[in-house]
């Protein structure tokens, strides 16, 4: 799992350092953006991200401060690096209305990238295991939001899903501490039958916890993020978990790994090219994750 991906920018903030300008500079070479993680993603069975913004040439810009749009061919960025699925349940998927939303689904479909979110549950066969992907958006903490999410989990189980993954857009932007609502909703998802809960939206990494033997990943931070050409915090993390099934039954184990990374290869600006962190930077991100997770009961994490 990786975090927030905005493939494009806001037309009001487009300049020579924008995502779109980088695409032009690379002459449409989609492999540029995820080049540093393509081998990692290609070595697993399923890579899932959060897709923020619309991939469309049409639609009308929403009346909001930031509205993100990229060309439909930007979907090749995902397919070129073995990103197999993307949640669209977030506050930017409708930035260009229903037209933009539908066009985004079509653009991802054309590249073999499975989209999901809201009432669209995706079912994938991964090595003979029926996997359900559920995307939920919490514009505010509410019982209604939680019920929609838990109803989808119940529906996935009723359809015979053996592994239920929930990707949630929640929390407060640029806040390193989770909200009470995030924890309540995350635990409700596990209680309803989710096997793992992964979060995004704060644009920074947050802590992790184990609840009822299942992981809740509160925020992975940004990833391939065209929403800002120089975010103050460029730390991110890739989450990898291996699920083992024997005769169709998931085994109880703790096979997870955190891979510290940065959203850019440069500290001074965003080059829109996430990279695996090394050396002191890797240690700094590890220490940050431990600091945020310790209050949630996790003082030791497995890093790669």
């Amino acid at each position: 799992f990786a975090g927030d991906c905005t493939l494009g920018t806001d037309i009001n903030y487009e300049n020579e350092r924008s995502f779109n300008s980088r695409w032009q500079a690379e002459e449409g070479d989609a492999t540029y953006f995820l080049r540093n993680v393509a081998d990692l993603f290609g070595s697993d069975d399923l890579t899932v991200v959060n897709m923020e913004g619309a991939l469309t040439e049409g639609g009308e810009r929403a009346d909001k401060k930031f509205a993100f749009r990229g060309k439909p061919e930007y979907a090749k960025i995902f397919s070129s690096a073995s990103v197999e699925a993307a949640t669209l349940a977030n506050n930017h998927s409708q930035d260009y209305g229903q037209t933009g939303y539908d066009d985004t689904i079509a653009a991802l479909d054309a590249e073999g990238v499975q989209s999901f979110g809201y009432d669209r549950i995706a079912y994938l066969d991964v090595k003979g295991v029926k996997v359900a992907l559920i995307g939920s958006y919490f514009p505010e903490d509410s019982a209604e939001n939680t019920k929609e999410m838990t109803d989808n989990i119940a529906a996935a189980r009723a359809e015979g899903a053996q592994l239920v993954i929930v990707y949630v857009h929640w929390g407060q932007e640029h806040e390193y501490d989770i909200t009470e609502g995030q924890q309540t909703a995350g635990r409700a998802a596990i209680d309803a039958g989710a096997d793992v809960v992964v979060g995004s939206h704060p644009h920074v990494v947050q802590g992790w916890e184990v609840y009822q033997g299942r992981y809740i990943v509160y925020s992975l931070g940004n990833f391939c993020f065209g929403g800002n050409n120089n975010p103050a915090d460029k730390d991110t993390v890739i989450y990898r978990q291996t699920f083992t099934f024997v005769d169709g039954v998931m085994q109880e184990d703790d096979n997870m790994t955190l891979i510290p990374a940065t959203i850019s290869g440069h500290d001074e600006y965003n080059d829109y090219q996430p990279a695996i962190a090394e050396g002191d930077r890797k240690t700094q991100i590890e220490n940050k994750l431990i600091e945020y997770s310790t209050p949630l009961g996790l003082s030791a994490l497995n890093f790669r």
Side-chain angles (χ1 to χ4, degrees), residues 128-286:
V129 175
K130 187 171 184 177
V131 178
L133 298 174
I134 294 169
S136 298
Y137 172 39
F138 280 65
E140 58 186 24
D141 301 328
S142 74
E144 183 179 351
N145 295 144
T146 301
K147 185 177 186 304
E148 179 183 76
M149 177 181 65
T150 56
D151 283 351
N152 282 335
I153 294 169
R157 288 297 186 192
E159 285 292 322
Q162 297 162 276
L163 176 64
V164 176
I165 294 168
V166 179
Y167 205 133
V168 193
H169 210 64
W170 58 7
Q172 298 296 316
E173 291 187 351
H174 311 297
E175 292 291 334
Y176 297 98
D177 295 325
I178 69 168
T179 66
E180 182 180 349
Q182 279 176 274
Q183 187 170 63
T184 298
R187 291 182 172 186
I190 300 296
D191 288 336
D195 294 302
V196 63
V197 180
V198 180
S200 65
H201 180 60
H203 299 299
V204 294
V205 295
Q206 293 181 330
W208 308 51
E209 74 169 328
V210 173
Y211 174 72
Q212 305 287 22
R214 303 289 189 263
Y215 279 95
I216 303 174
V217 181
Y218 283 105
S219 177
L220 293 173
N222 292 326
F223 196 60
C224 187
F225 187 65
N228 188 329
N229 61 30
N230 190 25
D233 190 331
K234 298 181 179 65
D235 295 341
T236 186
V237 63
I238 299 166
Y239 175 54
R240 170 175 277 187
Q241 184 167 355
T242 300
F243 300 92
T244 301
F245 285 79
V246 177
D247 296 328
V249 179
M250 190 170 74
Q251 305 301 293
E252 294 294 331
D253 59 23
D254 191 31
N255 193 346
M256 59 79 71
T257 305
L258 306 181
I259 305 170
T262 59
I263 70 168
S264 173
H266 299 270
D267 287 334
E268 299 79 17
Y269 61 92
N270 189 358
D271 63 6
Y272 313 106
Q273 194 177 51
I276 306 301
E278 299 178 348
D280 290 343
R281 186 61 174 276
K282 178 177 184 287
T283 301
Q284 290 170 2
I285 299 171
E286 290 174 351

Side-chain angles (χ1 to χ4, degrees), residues 19-28 30 33 73-74 77:
F19 187 99
N20 295 343
S21 295
R22 172 56 68 177
W23 174 272
Q24 293 172 358
E26 297 300 324
E27 299 180 341
F33 297 90
E73 55 260 44
Y74 289 1
I77 294 169

